[in-house]
Amino acid sequence: MISIVIVGRNDNYGGDFEGRLFATARHNLDALALRGIETELVFVEWNPLPSRPLLSHEVVATFDRARCVVVDGALHQHVSRNRHITVFEYHAKNVGAQRARGDWLLLTNPDNFLGVDTLDFLERGGFDRDALYRAGRIEVDDESGVDDPRLSDHHADDPAPFCAASGDFIFCSKSLFDRIGGFREDLAFTNTHKDSVFCHAALDMTGRARKIGHVYHLRHPRKNQRRRRLDYDWGKVDRRSQSAYGLNEEWVTESESIDERIAKLTLSPQLLGAAQTKRLPKPRVPQRYLRPVGLREKFQNLWRLPRKLFTGRRVWRS
C-alpha cells in the first residue's frame, strides 16, 4: 500500500486552499484507484485556527481511505523558533509518515496533480526499497494543464539526487524514511531546504536516486513567503539519521477522541503552560549555518546601516 502524506490547515492559505486540496486529492486518488493501486491518504492539519472548523472532518467525510492527524497550537509553539511560520511543513510530513500504514510513502503537497508518467511508474511497481524516487514540477493554472506536452520542467537538468522542488514529490519505502529519520526537525527556524537535505541524506545512505515523472503544481499566491524564508548554508546541516521524528516523543499525547479516523496530538500537561506563554522569536539563522559574507555583501550592509538607524528596521541578514 502507498500512503500519500499531505499537510495543511484551516487558514485558506494562498486563496481557495480547500479547492486545491480536494481537487488534487480527488484527481490523484481516483487515478491511482483506476490503476488498481492500493492507497491511503494521510492529512496532517498543523496548528489549526481554533476559530474555524477543522478541515480534517471534511477530508474524512470526502475520502473513504483518508486518515487525519491534528497537531494542536501548543505543540507548534513548543517546537517553533520563527514567529512568521504558522505551519511547519516538514515536521508535519514527518508526523504523517510516522503514522502511515503503507509500506511506501508518497510525500507531496495539496496543490499537486500526479502526471501520467508518474502514475505509469507507480502502476508498474517493482520498486527498490533503497531508492529515492523523485518527480519534476511543472506549473499550471488549472487541471486542464495536466499532461500538456507543451509545458516543460524548468529543473530538468537538476542532477542527482534531484532535490530542486523536491518537497512537491518524494517517493520512497517507509523503511528508508525510517533509516534516514525523516526531515530535519532541529532546523526549527525555517521550512526551507529541509527537502534538499533529506534527498542528499538518502543518496549518501544508498547511492540510489531516480527521477520517474512529473507533478503539475497549481499556481497560487504565497503570502509572507519572503518573511518566512531564511538564507542559510544547508550544506552544513548534519545528514546523519535522527534518533526520533514525527512528534513520537514522551512529551506528546496522542488521542483519537475527535473521530475514529482523526487523531489529535497535544502537548503534555507539564509543558503546556510554558508553550502557551512562549513568545516566538524573530527568525534568525544560527551562527553555524551562516554563509560566508563576501565583500559585496559587506558594502551592502554598510549602505543599509543608516536606514536601520532612522527606521529601527532590521534590514540585513541575521
Side-chain angles (χ1 to χ4, degrees), residues 266-313:
T266 57
L267 194 60
S268 61
Q270 61 267 31
L271 298 175
L272 189 59
Q276 290 174 333
T277 58
K278 176 182 175 183
R279 184 177 179 183
L280 295 181
K282 293 180 181 179
R284 183 179 180 86
V285 178
Q287 185 70 31
R288 62 185 177 278
Y289 298 134
L290 288 177
R291 296 183 183 277
V293 180
L295 189 61
R296 179 179 178 182
E297 187 172 355
K298 288 180 180 179
F299 277 115
Q300 286 177 335
N301 285 343
L302 287 173
W303 176 80
R304 292 168 179 164
L305 183 59
R307 180 180 171 189
K308 178 181 183 291
L309 292 175
F310 283 107
T311 65
R313 292 178 59 191

Side-chain angles (χ1 to χ4, degrees), residues 47-78:
N47 187 28
L49 296 172
S51 60
R52 297 182 182 179
L54 291 173
L55 284 178
S56 296
H57 292 301
E58 192 174 353
V59 170
V60 297
T62 303
F63 303 111
D64 293 338
R65 301 283 303 191
R67 293 187 300 114
C68 300
V69 184
V70 178
V71 180
D72 75 2
L75 275 169
H76 172 80
Q77 287 282 115
H78 181 72

Side-chain angles (χ1 to χ4, degrees), residues 77-272:
Q77 287 282 115
H78 181 72
V79 303
S80 178
R81 299 293 181 271
N82 185 334
R83 68 176 62 172
H84 299 310
I85 295 177
T86 55
V87 176
F88 273 94
E89 175 186 344
Y90 295 101
H91 280 68
K93 285 179 175 175
N94 279 354
V95 167
Q98 176 67 244
R99 291 155 182 82
R101 295 171 180 169
D103 293 325
W104 297 89
L105 300 175
L106 196 168
L107 301 121
T108 185
N109 291 331
D111 44 22
N112 290 319
F113 297 101
L114 300 180
V116 68
D117 47 6
T118 299
L119 291 165
D120 287 344
F121 169 81
L122 296 174
E123 184 179 15
R124 286 194 296 271
F127 315 127
D128 181 349
R129 289 189 175 274
D130 289 330
L132 169 73
Y133 296 105
R134 285 278 299 109
R137 186 178 81 180
I138 296 174
E139 299 286 337
V140 296
D141 292 317
D142 54 49
E143 193 169 352
S144 66
V146 176
D147 297 315
D148 187 335
R150 296 169 298 178
L151 302 178
S152 60
D153 173 10
H154 296 298
H155 302 294
D157 296 329
D158 181 35
F162 317 110
C163 61
S166 51
D168 286 279
F169 183 95
I170 286 175
F171 182 72
C172 66
S173 66
K174 177 72 158 55
S175 59
L176 177 59
F177 196 89
D178 287 341
R179 284 160 57 195
I180 295 170
F183 300 104
R184 300 302 309 188
E185 294 185 359
D186 51 353
L187 306 176
F189 60 91
T190 184
N191 272 331
T192 311
H193 299 312
K194 293 179 183 178
D195 49 350
S196 299
V197 173
F198 178 90
C199 290
H200 280 272
L203 190 65
D204 289 349
M205 183 172 289
T206 69
R208 302 177 194 174
R210 282 183 59 193
K211 204 168 187 180
I212 52 85
H214 294 87
V215 295
Y216 292 80
H217 175 259
L218 285 171
R219 292 187 182 92
H220 60 84
R222 300 189 178 193
K223 187 178 179 181
N224 294 329
Q225 184 182 25
R226 288 193 175 188
R227 296 177 70 188
R228 296 193 306 272
R229 289 182 66 93
L230 290 180
D231 181 37
Y232 70 102
D233 192 344
W234 60 270
K236 296 179 180 178
V237 174
D238 187 355
R239 299 205 287 259
R240 292 174 296 180
S241 177
Q242 296 181 122
S243 57
Y245 73 89
L247 298 182
N248 189 27
E249 307 278 0
E250 60 182 13
W251 41 269
V252 177
T253 301
E254 183 167 349
S255 67
E256 295 186 357
S257 58
I258 301 178
D259 182 280
E260 62 181 6
R261 289 194 287 146
I262 303 177
K264 184 176 182 181
L265 303 187
T266 57
L267 194 60
S268 61
Q270 61 267 31
L271 298 175
L272 189 59

